[in-house]
Amino acid sequence: MNTKKLSLALLSGLVLTGAWYYKDTLLGTSETGFPIAGESSSTPSTTTTAIKPGATEGPRKVVAVDNESVYTGTLSAGPGGRVSKEVENNNGEKVVEMLTPEQASSKLRRNEESYFVGRGKGVWRYDVVQISSNDPIEDDHAEKIIEVPPTVVPAEEGQESGPSDWMFWGVFDGHSGWTTSAKLRQVLITFVAREISNTYKAAVADPTTKIPSPESIDEAIKKGFLQLDHEIIHESVERVFKNPSKLVAAETLAPALSGSCALLAFYESRSKLLRVAVTGDSRAVLGRRGSSGKWTATPLSEDQTGSNEFEAARLRKEHPGEEHVVRNGRVLGGLEPSRAFGDAFYKWSSDTQWEIKKQFFGRTPTALLKTPPYVTAEPVITTTRIEPEKGDFLVMATDGLWEMLTNEEVIGLVGKWLDDQKAASKQGKPWFGGWFSGGKDQGMLPVETATSDATGQPQPIRIRQWGVTAKDSERFVCEDRNAATHLVRNALGGKNQDMLCALLTLPSPYSRRYRDDLTVEVIFFGDSTENNGQVTINKDATATVKNDAPQAKL
């Protein structure tokens, strides 16, 4: 990528075409700008902006955006001003200024959470963070730990007696709105836990089994997913037809009209079995210390999109003779995930869609709609036995992270974060704030490199978009106490503070051209140092929490 210096003429042209311009505090010296290569897109809707007078003279650091690219740089001393727009809220004026590195860090950490799990064994900590691109954010997440009595989950031979913990973590990647992912946050774990509980109770009552088979637990998880989607898609329609009110329909049908992918992890502490259920293109990857001392990355889910050859083949088999069931890697040429909650326009019959449009609101069904449903909420489930003695940890994230980092980079970054924290704690000094500390592998992430593309993970599209070619030592930093925030920082630029600040400065909807909503969870398996039976906030890695109460449910 060629380096460009942002000129005043370029800035003026951008403002005249309705693009955005941001400035921050005065700079003592001029800096050379860099472009972040962008995607081609249609011209944005017309927005009136104006350069207001009164700016202090001197070099100013800026971000400028046209229809193709993002640039950062400095302007020479001279007249200028901020870009603003009068709005109903925010004291009547909307102003967006270039974030400083300190402000960027503050924005990254605004929604971070970290919890210590003092349950004795199973999981000792998990970290969460969210960064929005849409306004409001369309991602969501949920966590729950359920203590299960031995009458429900009896100990098997060789296992310790007493209660067991069922631990759930979910990340939900919404699209076309936030309502479906919010619905999943509220009730998906409850639906799944209820079905798993029923399966265990049935097995205990049967003298020939006592414990459910692995297949029956998988079926229970699938049943929970499908029952919830049936409630969202079909039961909601039944309710609004019984009470034909536009106001009721708007509220009741909202989770059906938008959509969401779902990634749910279920860990049973006694058996140490981790089940990962995926509906859509969020991804879970396991990190484990290998015999070489490096970390290995094992994907526990596969992205379900129209570009996945197995998903495309499934759809063509289920809808024979429909030439456009998958077109340009999308279902009916429109929806990228091939499995999702909601997305009723790919599930309702044509008659239902016409009736809803006639009575309430909606859109005309596509002419390609012949044999719905085309999209399912049924998850694909993998089961893995966790080995805490090997330092196992799990990274779950919506696709916004995987657009920027590979599986190996994500696991290597968390592995390096763990290694640095452990090494610094032994020396009795802060562990964060630097990066590579020397050794024969200086400048490299401590992760085994994938030998093939057998995992099917696509190359991160944002790295291609931005033209990133720097080595690990030039890209990555370790500055955060929260492991999830650490990942997001490095996904958005890492050591390149100009890129990080630029990407976090861009407002919605411009930001969606360069980054998606981001939700990341990192779960660390192993024995907790304190067996107090509680889930407590890790205040060093958590933003201010209202009422000082953990959001995780026990």
Side-chain angles (χ1 to χ4, degrees):
M1 182 184 303
N2 295 325
T3 301
K4 298 179 181 178
K5 188 171 183 178
L6 188 65
S7 66
L8 185 59
L10 170 62
L11 173 64
S12 301
L14 294 177
V15 172
L16 290 175
T17 60
W20 293 85
Y21 153 56
Y22 316 91
K23 72 177 182 64
D24 71 358
T25 55
L26 299 180
L27 300 176
T29 57
S30 179
E31 299 178 4
T32 301
F34 74 92
I36 304 173
E39 297 170 326
S40 297
S41 60
S42 58
T43 302
S45 58
T46 303
T47 302
T48 303
T49 58
I51 298 291
K52 293 191 174 184
T56 306
E57 294 188 1
R60 298 188 302 277
K61 192 171 185 179
V62 298
V63 174
V65 184
D66 63 11
N67 292 335
E68 300 289 337
S69 304
V70 179
Y71 302 84
T72 68
T74 58
L75 294 179
S76 302
R82 63 185 181 179
V83 172
S84 65
K85 178 179 174 65
E86 293 184 2
V87 294
E88 294 180 0
N89 299 317
N90 197 30
N91 298 322
E93 187 179 41
K94 181 82 170 177
V95 180
V96 183
E97 295 182 330
M98 177 71 172
L99 296 180
T100 65
E102 293 76 21
Q103 290 170 329
S105 289
S106 178
K107 186 171 183 177
L108 281 173
R109 296 167 180 167
R110 186 178 302 159
N111 296 310
E112 68 180 4
E113 305 171 34
S114 179
Y115 300 95
F116 292 124
V117 182
R119 304 289 296 166
K121 57 185 177 181
V123 171
W124 66 275
R125 170 177 172 168
Y126 66 90
D127 292 2
V128 189
V129 78
Q130 285 194 296
I131 300 293
S132 65
S133 183
N134 294 294
D135 184 15
I137 188 171
E138 296 180 350
D139 282 5
D140 225 314
H141 66 93
E143 302 78 31
K144 187 171 289 188
I145 299 174
I146 303 171
E147 184 178 280
V148 185
T151 53
V152 176
V153 184
E156 298 181 47
E157 185 177 352
Q159 291 183 342
E160 295 180 8
S161 60
S164 174
D165 281 347
W166 288 353
M167 302 184 179
F168 294 90
W169 300 270
V171 296
F172 314 119
D173 184 1
H175 46 263
S176 302
W178 55 267
T179 52
T180 313
S181 59
K183 179 78 171 181
L184 300 186
R185 167 179 49 82
Q186 292 174 325
V187 298
L188 178 59
I189 291 176
T190 300
F191 270 67
V192 170
R194 181 180 61 200
E195 293 305 320
I196 295 174
S197 177
N198 290 339
T199 300
Y200 270 91
K201 289 178 180 178
V204 170
D206 185 345
T208 64
T209 57
K210 290 298 183 184
I211 59 171
S213 66
E215 294 77 14
S216 64
I217 298 176
D218 287 356
E219 287 303 314
I221 296 172
K222 292 178 181 179
K223 186 176 180 180
F225 273 56
L226 292 173
Q227 282 185 338
L228 176 55
D229 195 54
H230 186 272
E231 178 183 293
I232 292 171
I233 297 296
H234 299 296
E235 293 180 21
S236 62
V237 172
E238 294 173 5
R239 289 196 295 271
V240 298
F241 282 163
K242 290 178 181 178
N243 183 9
S245 159
K246 284 185 171 63
L247 294 176
V248 172
E251 178 181 350
T252 305
L253 296 179
L257 298 175
S258 59
S260 181
C261 302
L263 180 66
L264 186 69
F266 164 48
Y267 181 65
E268 204 280 308
S269 64
R270 179 181 288 148
S271 67
K272 298 182 181 178
L273 291 179
L274 173 70
R275 286 179 169 84
V276 172
V278 60
T279 291
D281 57 3
S282 297
R283 193 183 305 170
V285 182
L286 181 72
R288 174 174 290 171
R289 181 86 71 175
S291 57
S292 66
K294 293 184 178 181
W295 298 88
T296 60
T298 304
L300 303 185
S301 65
E302 187 173 355
D303 303 353
Q304 299 161 351
T305 68
S307 298
N308 180 314
E309 61 182 56
F310 298 104
E311 285 293 289
R314 176 182 64 81
L315 284 165
R316 293 191 178 99
K317 182 178 180 180
E318 293 175 357
H319 305 276
E322 297 187 40
E323 178 184 359
H324 300 295
V325 65
V326 178
R327 185 172 63 180
N328 298 326
R330 295 175 177 265
V331 180
L332 299 185
L335 184 66
E336 188 170 16
S338 53
R339 303 185 189 225
F341 284 84
D343 290 314
F345 293 114
Y346 295 88
K347 298 175 181 178
W348 284 336
S349 68
S350 182
D351 290 343
T352 297
Q353 294 190 41
W354 279 113
E355 189 63 25
I356 289 175
K357 181 178 181 180
K358 182 175 74 173
Q359 291 200 41
F360 309 110
F361 43 74
R363 66 189 191 195
T364 302
T366 173
L368 300 177
L369 188 78
K370 302 181 186 301
T371 58
Y374 292 92
V375 176
T376 179
E378 181 177 352
V380 173
I381 301 171
T382 60
T383 302
T384 305
R385 188 173 296 279
I386 294 301
E387 300 181 39
E389 65 276 9
K390 294 185 178 179
D392 285 6
F393 62 85
L394 179 69
V395 178
M396 303 171 61
T398 53
D399 66 333
L401 181 73
W402 310 108
E403 289 178 350
M404 302 174 179
L405 297 170
T406 66
N407 295 350
E408 290 73 30
E409 287 171 340
V410 165
I411 296 305
L413 282 165
V414 177
K416 181 63 176 175
W417 182 90
L418 281 169
D419 292 347
D420 280 11
Q421 179 177 347
K422 186 178 298 185
S425 64
K426 291 180 179 179
Q427 299 172 14
K429 56 186 179 182
W431 64 270
F432 61 96
W435 192 228
F436 301 100
S437 56
K440 63 178 181 180
D441 291 329
Q442 184 175 1
M444 297 176 61
L445 290 173
V447 64
E448 297 286 356
T449 304
T451 56
S452 68
D453 195 30
T455 62
Q457 63 167 314
Q459 182 183 3
I461 61 172
R462 300 299 181 184
I463 298 303
R464 298 201 309 269
Q465 179 186 9
W466 302 334
V468 174
T469 59
K471 298 177 181 179
D472 292 351
S473 59
E474 298 169 349
R475 288 179 62 190
F476 302 131
V477 293
C478 197
E479 297 182 4
D480 300 282
R481 292 182 179 270
N482 184 297
T485 307
H486 166 69
L487 286 176
V488 171
R489 178 187 297 277
N490 283 289
L492 292 176
K495 188 173 288 187
N496 189 333
Q497 289 191 342
D498 273 348
M499 177 180 283
L500 178 71
C501 292
L503 291 174
L504 289 176
T505 296
L506 294 177
S508 176
Y510 262 111
S511 57
R512 277 295 284 116
R513 300 183 184 182
Y514 306 97
R515 62 181 179 87
D516 199 353
D517 291 336
L518 286 156
T519 299
V520 181
E521 297 216 32
V522 185
I523 299 103
F524 299 98
F525 298 97
D527 296 345
S528 54
T529 55
E530 292 188 18
N531 187 9
N532 56 17
Q534 301 298 315
V535 177
T536 57
I537 297 173
N538 174 11
K539 295 184 179 180
D540 286 341
T542 299
T544 302
V545 180
K546 294 180 181 179
N547 300 323
D548 202 32
Q551 297 179 13
K553 297 293 191 301
L554 174 60

